[in-house]
Amino acid sequence: MHLGIDIGGTKTDAVVVDAAGTVLARRRLPSGRGGDAVVAAAVEASLAACADAGVATADVTVGIGTPGTVVDGVVSHAVNLGVDVLDLAAAFGGAWGARPVVDNDVNVAALGAWALAGDGADRSMAYLNLGTGLAAGLVLGGKVWRGARGAAGEIGHISVDPAGPIGADGLPGGLETYASGSGLALQWGVEGATGRDVVDAAAAGDARAREICERAYYGLASSVRVLVLTLDVDEVVIGGGMTAWGEDLIAGATRILDAWAATSPFLASLQLARRMRPLDIDIPVAAVGAAMLGGGRG
């Protein structure tokens, strides 16, 4: 059995899965803030999930996905968790009795989405996470591709318009500014507003909000284009909180991809729109991916 823990900015999601990735038990709790609270929430959710599954803690492998940069189990720059530096593997392992495997949350979500697709080891996939930020996890040959310095998939920092709005990273027209929750809110400029507020305002007919949403469609379409042209992956799976936007998001990006295909025979041959697939928001891909990672996959 495998235990997977997805530590998010607001919730910690723990699952117990079998070798095929089937979820046998799941527990979600509010995430803590600060190193001690983060570890305590992860341990509590994990104990509850194991109890629900009827398995002993000693009988599960453990994997954890977390925001931030992860090197040898040490997490840094996990701003949403209030963590500057945390040796998560050591801290959780000390409380649990066994050291977990720890990786970035988008990487483990990519592994989970790939494992649940069940299409075979040779199938390549990019998991594009549209959440508070924007980044991609890459699974090539059944393994997560992290790159030389762990930056593979950080496409949110790619600028697609040098005259576009300035993002949190100081760059103009970045994909993360165009197609993430924080990016929409940043463009909206209303104190305390969220990306959901911008989407709702657009639906109510606000012209500026509709313009921001149109840029989000362009950002998603551009992300798919970048990932396919760079790696020629079999598919780009779209996940993250922004997918709660629903069909409008996918339809808007598809409209732009189709327009590009209509003017470029080369892009038409790549069938970009057909290689984009939204993921069911209720599937715990990050927790499942963490479990698979702990079990030696990825």
Side-chain angles (χ1 to χ4, degrees):
M1 298 290 183
H2 310 299
L3 169 67
I5 309 155
D6 170 28
I7 300 175
T10 58
K11 64 173 178 59
T12 292
D13 197 355
V15 299
V16 175
V17 307
D18 62 17
T22 302
V23 176
L24 305 178
R26 182 182 187 187
R27 279 296 185 103
R28 285 173 284 185
L29 295 174
S31 293
R33 185 165 180 82
D36 291 344
V38 165
V39 173
V43 171
E44 183 180 354
S46 299
L47 288 171
C50 286
D52 291 346
V55 298
T57 58
D59 293 334
V60 294
T61 63
V62 186
I64 301 177
T66 175
T69 302
V70 181
V71 178
D72 295 331
V74 178
V75 181
S76 57
H77 310 300
V79 178
N80 290 339
L81 297 175
V83 168
D84 292 324
V85 178
L86 170 64
D87 191 338
L88 180 57
F92 183 93
W96 190 259
R99 184 179 176 89
V101 181
V102 183
D103 202 351
N104 173 267
D105 53 353
V106 178
N107 284 341
V108 299
L111 184 60
W114 178 85
L116 291 172
D119 293 324
D122 293 334
R123 188 168 182 80
S124 60
M125 173 185 290
Y127 172 80
L128 180 61
N129 187 73
L130 306 180
T132 302
L134 183 153
L138 311 170
V139 181
L140 309 176
K143 299 290 185 181
V144 175
W145 175 254
R146 299 173 178 85
R149 300 188 181 183
E154 291 289 352
I155 65 170
H157 298 284
I158 294 176
S159 176
V160 290
D161 181 2
I166 302 298
D169 60 0
L171 299 175
L175 290 175
E176 183 166 284
T177 305
Y178 274 25
S180 71
S182 64
L184 266 64
L186 178 66
Q187 293 178 70
W188 188 234
V190 176
E191 184 70 26
T194 66
R196 182 76 250 179
D197 295 327
V198 180
V199 173
D200 290 344
D206 186 281
R208 191 165 69 88
R210 292 177 67 176
E211 180 181 332
I212 293 171
C213 288
E214 189 65 28
R215 282 199 286 263
Y217 304 149
Y218 179 79
L220 172 52
S222 297
S223 296
V224 173
R225 179 174 171 176
V226 164
L227 289 166
V228 172
L229 288 176
T230 303
L231 295 165
D232 199 21
V233 288
D234 288 298
E235 65 175 347
V236 179
V237 176
I238 315 299
M242 287 280 287
T243 58
W245 188 341
E247 277 300 312
D248 285 351
L249 177 63
I250 301 300
T254 298
R255 169 169 48 81
I256 292 170
L257 291 169
D258 287 345
W260 290 340
T263 59
S264 168
F266 174 65
L267 289 183
S269 73
L270 297 178
Q271 300 180 310
L272 296 176
R274 291 181 60 182
R275 291 160 86 164
M276 175 177 65
R277 175 170 66 88
L279 191 67
D280 185 339
I281 196 170
D282 292 326
I283 298 176
V285 289
V288 171
M292 296 293 95
L293 184 73
R297 294 172 65 176

